[in-house]
Amino acid sequence: MPPFVQGYMANKSILKRIVHGMFPLNITCDICGKETFDGSNLCPDCIKKVHFNNKATCPVCGRKTAKNEICGECKADAPRYKKGVSALVYDDGAAILVLKFKNGDEYLAEFFGGLLEKKYEELPPCELITFVPLTKNKKFQRGYNQGELLANNLGERLALPVREVLKKKRETDDQKSLSRRERAENLKGVFEIIDRKSCIDKTILLVDDVLTTGTTADEVTRELMIAGAKAVYFAAVASVEYKQKTEIEEI
């Protein structure tokens, strides 16, 4: 990274710490901005809009389901990671929070890290935490990688090492509008292992902010396994609810 870029990022980080020192977090709602003053991230009205993923879930990918059974997507094409969990259902309030997290509200890593710490209890012990990488250009534009922030926060909470073991070589199209085959093709050759040594014979926890199509997490897991990982587990702040398609929708 060029020296002027490093200087810019350092000054930006210092400025944020000064602002957070002058204006402490958790005195206003993270969604509507209403004053709370009780250490809560959400006001009584907005917390109703955030749906916690603590009821029926798919035992494989961790999405919300109608029943505690494997979802149709995992039956048709199971992910490469052993098991996934997510703290929130990606709708309403959670979607707003994730969008804010992607677009400048880095402090939400603390709130989300606490949620992931609790969900981690549903997984076997892991030895290493990693995250989905961004391209250098995307990370520069945003100023940070939200997945990396999550991983670092969770690593501190769990006393686990965090490693950036992959890089993303190019930008990709939005996965949501693509078919299953197109999603796989879209990500083909995008990720590359840069720290193989850290992966060998390790049980790895992969973290990300949101699970939508699941293709990205699956492709990253594939690379981790090729690099020698013993097993990979996945944790996301939020995941899209699995809704079984009707016969009409499938036609």
Side-chain angles (χ1 to χ4, degrees), residues 17-53:
R17 286 198 294 270
I18 293 174
V19 171
H20 288 166
M22 296 174 61
F23 304 98
L25 303 177
N26 294 353
I27 62 172
T28 60
C29 174
D30 289 330
I31 293 180
C32 71
K34 184 186 299 183
E35 294 178 348
T36 57
F37 292 111
D38 61 355
S40 300
N41 290 81
L42 302 169
C43 70
D45 291 329
C46 288
I47 198 169
K48 297 175 185 177
K49 302 175 184 177
V50 176
H51 305 126
F52 290 85
N53 194 23

